[in-house]
């Protein structure tokens, strides 16, 4: 095989053999992935953490997201769609995780389970006064339906427009606008319960 | 299910926060807001909400514990994980190791993916 490659070499050009070309392709792929990871690991992790509300699960989901991304790296055709593509993988991985947990936890949907679970901590007023703004916002987020939470996070945390949110969630532009409006209404009530005015 | 009058404007209010209204929609909304206290209140509440969301703490990959990688590496039988060394706990991973994490992760994911593809 190597002989064939060398015989095809054109004078003046580097006669690369197959192993060298393969190694270079692998190096390029790894460099591309490292760049992707460098740019997106922080926002993806933050998004997933806000989605599931648990640091260990967020770490696992982020890790799974990037393993899947590496395996599917060849399917990205346009650099402009990379962000949506990664967030779509992260969203689906987070949804799978939530579904798996729902199957093993006989408490129904994620949000009601969180909302109805007996809370051993001090009463609501003491909690509101004692919790940081961040904790209160996270508690409010966890009360939302998962698709409302995703939509709101993509919009207000990751600053995506309706078109890009649609790409991530597999929804039309119009459907995203309706969903986002409902999510804001639900979040308004949840924030109000956490002591935020209005 | 049909929308009531205010609900249809709430959708415009929501879209206005990310500046995604057409000129016609903007004019319609402005005209309505001039005479509707309920929707004006909704606009204020949604704007506050967006400001609150923008102010939440961003937790980057430093928050990703090496534990997660250790778990995964034990699943696929890897001896080393991205923090360097043999399956370190989160507290054992230095800040410098985390700064090198992308390169580590890249190599780790490459080898993991190869293993998965061959299995």
């Amino acid at each position: 095989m190597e002989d064939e490659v060398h015989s095809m070499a054109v004078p003046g050009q580097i006669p690369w053999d197959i192993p060298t070309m393969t190694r270079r392709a692998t190096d390029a792929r790894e460099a591309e992935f490292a760049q992707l990871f460098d740019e997106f690991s922080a926002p993806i992790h933050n998004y997933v953490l806000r989605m599931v509300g648990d640091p260990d699960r967020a770490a696992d989901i982020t890790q799974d997201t990037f393993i899947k991304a590496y395996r599917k790296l060849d399917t990205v055709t346009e650099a402009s769609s990379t962000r949506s593509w990664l967030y779509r993988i992260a969203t689906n991985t987070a949804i799978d995780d939530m579904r798996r947990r729902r199957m093993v936890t006989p408490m129904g949907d994620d949000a009601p389970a969180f909302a109805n679970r007996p809370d051993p901590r001090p009463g609501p007023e003491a909690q509101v006064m004692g919790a940081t703004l961040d904790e209160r916002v996270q508690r409010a987020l966890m009360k939302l339906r998962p698709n409302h939470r995703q939509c709101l996070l993509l919009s207000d945390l990751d600053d995506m427009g309706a078109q890009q949110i649609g790409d991530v969630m597999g929804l039309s532009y119009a459907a995203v606008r309706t969903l986002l409006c409902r999510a804001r209404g639900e979040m308004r009530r949840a924030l109000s319960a956490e002591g935020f005015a209005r | 299910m049909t929308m009531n009058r205010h609900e249809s404007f709430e959708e415009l209010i929501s879209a206005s926060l990310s500046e995604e209204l057409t000129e016609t929609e903007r004019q319609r909304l402005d005209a309505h807001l001039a005479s509707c206290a309920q929707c004006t209140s909704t606009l204020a509440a949604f704007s506050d909400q967006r400001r609150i969301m923008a102010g939440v703490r961003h937790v980057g990959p430093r928050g990703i514990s090496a534990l997660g990688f250790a778990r995964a590496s034990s699943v696929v039988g890897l001896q080393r994980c991205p923090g360097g060394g043999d399956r370190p706990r989160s507290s054992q991973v230095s800040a410098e190791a985390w700064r090198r994490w992308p390169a580590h992760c890249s190599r780790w994911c490459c080898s993991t993916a190869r293993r998965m593809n061959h299995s």
Side-chain angles (χ1 to χ4, degrees), chain A residues 50-52 98 102 109-115 136-154 156 179-194, chain B residues 49 53:
Chain A
R50 298 291 170 190
M51 266 296 294
V52 299
M98 288 188 282
R102 205 162 50 199
D109 191 61
D110 221 43
F114 185 92
R136 288 157 64 196
V137 172
Q138 185 61 38
R139 272 206 304 260
L141 278 170
M142 296 309 291
K143 287 175 187 164
L144 306 191
R145 293 177 193 185
N147 61 341
H148 286 180
R149 204 182 315 147
Q150 283 157 28
C151 195
L152 197 64
L153 287 171
L154 292 171
D156 291 0
L179 189 68
L180 189 54
C181 179
R182 288 183 184 157
R184 289 195 198 287
E186 205 182 339
M187 187 64 171
R188 185 183 182 182
R189 290 186 286 279
L191 284 175
S192 175
E194 287 295 332
Chain B
Q49 187 184 112
M53 287 290 287

Side-chain angles (χ1 to χ4, degrees), chain A residues 30 37 41-42 45-46 50 60 63 67 70-71 134 137 155-157 159 162 173 177-178 181 184 188 198, chain B residues 11 14 20 25 41 44-45 48-50 56-60 64 68-69 71-72 101 106 110 114 117:
Chain A
E30 291 185 8
F37 186 89
S41 59
H45 175 261
N46 194 47
R50 298 291 170 190
D60 287 346
Q63 171 191 287
I67 290 173
Y70 179 81
R71 298 178 77 184
D134 205 70
V137 172
S155 170
D156 291 0
L157 197 72
D159 210 23
Y173 178 82
R177 275 176 55 153
T178 303
C181 179
R184 289 195 198 287
R188 185 183 182 182
R198 293 194 219 259
Chain B
E11 198 168 311
S14 171
E20 295 200 83
E25 286 174 329
S41 164
D48 279 355
Q49 187 184 112
R50 195 168 160 87
V56 299
R57 198 162 49 96
H58 279 247
V59 183
I64 295 181
F69 278 87
R71 280 192 202 130
W101 200 38
S106 172
C110 296
R114 276 187 219 114
N117 286 333

Side-chain angles (χ1 to χ4, degrees), chain A residues 15-30:
Chain A
W16 285 344
D17 54 22
I18 295 290
T20 304
M21 287 164 70
T22 306
R23 196 183 65 245
R24 280 171 189 264
T26 305
D27 287 350
R29 185 184 167 90
E30 291 185 8

Side-chain angles (χ1 to χ4, degrees), chain A residues 151 160-167 170-181, chain B residues 11-12 14-16 18-22 25:
Chain A
C151 195
M160 287 187 189
Q163 191 67 54
Q164 201 168 15
I165 296 172
D167 290 342
L171 297 171
S172 69
Y173 178 82
V176 170
R177 275 176 55 153
T178 303
L179 189 68
L180 189 54
C181 179
Chain B
E11 198 168 311
L12 294 183
S14 171
S16 75
S18 44
E19 296 171 6
E20 295 200 83
L21 294 185
T22 63
E25 286 174 329

